[in-house]
Each structure stands twice: as structure tokens, then as C-alpha cells.
Amino acid sequence: MQYYQVFISAEQTAQGHRILDALMAKQLVLGGPVVGGPAKFLWNFTESDVPAEMREHKLFALEQDYNFVITYTREDLKAELIDVAESASLEEVCMISFAPMEPNRSLKELLDSTFEGRGGDVTPEPVDAVAAVTFVPKDVVPTRTKSSTGAPGARR
């Protein structure tokens, strides 16, 4: 099975979360961050949904803050992912790219368990908790992460 890191464009953070929620509800992606920052794009407004006075055959350099959803999926989910993301997007062109990747065993197992038993829409339940930074003794650090080389599910 081929796995992919996926990048999906979003003009605003809220739009990125909307796309991510729609994809997660169908178990098409693992989830991930919506990251943003300053961006610049070449754009030709000839056929865009903009005021008529801007519709001319000319390239513009458009500057704006911009976001991308970064997530993971599998080969068998790509076509449906594209359909759901484009349906949830407000952009004229929802830019979606798939970077083939070779995950380590622990990530592969996480992805396969995430997509196991797919079917219909689900509403992931929010966890009534928050992430909290804590101090971990240095000698415990090597034992906290699942191993990709030891027995499946084993810690280092």
C-alpha cells in the first residue's frame, strides 16, 4: 500500500479546519496541523469570480496570508479525499498535492488503525482534555516512543 503526505490549500485557518473536519469525518486522513504564513501567488483573474473590472488577461502577483492543511492518507483514499476536500473548500482552486512517502513501521500502524473499519460519516468525539507540557527524566526519554524496529507495539 502506498502512503502519502497531503497538502491542502486554505485561504483562512477556519477554512482549513472545515476541510480537515470533513475529511476526518469520513476517515480519509489522520489529521494534522493547519499552518499558515505570508504567501505570494501568480494569478490571472480572466475567469475568476472577481469584479468584472479585474477580469483581464494579465498576471498579478497576489500577496496574502495563506494556510495549508498537512496530513497523511493512503492510495486507496485519494480520489474520495479530493472530492470531499474540494466540496468543503471555498477556494476557486483547492490545491491538493500528494507526496509519496515511506512511513516507519509505527506511523504505518497508526495510519492503518486510523483507516480501519471505515464506512459512512462519523463524528469524532472531542477529548475533554488539553495537552500539557511536563518534565520527563532524561533516562525515561528513550522508553516513551513506540519502536519501529522492535516487537510491534513495544517501546524503545
Side-chain angles (χ1 to χ4, degrees):
M1 178 65 64
Q2 178 66 60
Y3 297 87
Y4 296 90
Q5 187 168 45
V6 185
F7 300 88
I8 305 167
S9 64
E11 292 173 322
Q12 301 160 349
T13 304
Q15 185 184 135
H17 284 284
R18 175 186 162 96
I19 293 168
L20 191 54
D21 287 346
L23 293 169
M24 290 173 65
K26 293 192 175 286
Q27 288 177 273
L28 295 168
V29 298
L30 172 64
V34 177
V35 297
K40 187 182 285 191
F41 294 96
L42 282 176
W43 200 257
N44 184 339
F45 291 110
T46 303
E47 296 180 21
S48 295
D49 187 16
V50 297
E53 61 270 13
M54 292 181 72
R55 292 182 194 166
E56 58 181 285
H57 185 67
K58 180 179 178 182
L59 284 177
F60 292 91
L62 183 67
E63 292 185 41
Q64 68 185 81
D65 282 337
Y66 207 75
N67 295 268
F68 277 90
V69 174
I70 303 172
T71 189
Y72 301 97
T73 197
R74 291 188 319 209
E75 175 77 35
D76 59 322
L77 305 175
K78 283 174 56 179
E80 188 177 356
L81 183 154
I82 292 168
D83 185 53
V84 170
E86 288 180 346
S87 294
S89 177
L90 298 171
E91 292 188 84
E92 183 170 347
V93 176
C94 180
M95 298 180 287
I96 305 170
S97 60
F98 298 90
M101 64 171 205
E102 184 177 333
N104 63 342
R105 185 182 71 205
S106 295
L107 176 56
K108 179 187 177 304
E109 289 171 356
L110 176 63
L111 292 171
D112 288 341
S113 68
T114 298
F115 304 131
E116 187 177 303
R118 295 186 63 245
D121 285 347
V122 294
T123 303
E125 294 180 38
V127 175
D128 187 17
V130 295
V133 177
T134 186
F135 291 94
V136 178
K138 284 185 180 180
D139 62 331
V140 175
V141 170
T143 64
R144 290 182 54 91
T145 300
K146 287 187 178 179
S147 173
S148 288
T149 56
R155 304 283 176 167
R156 297 208 159 269

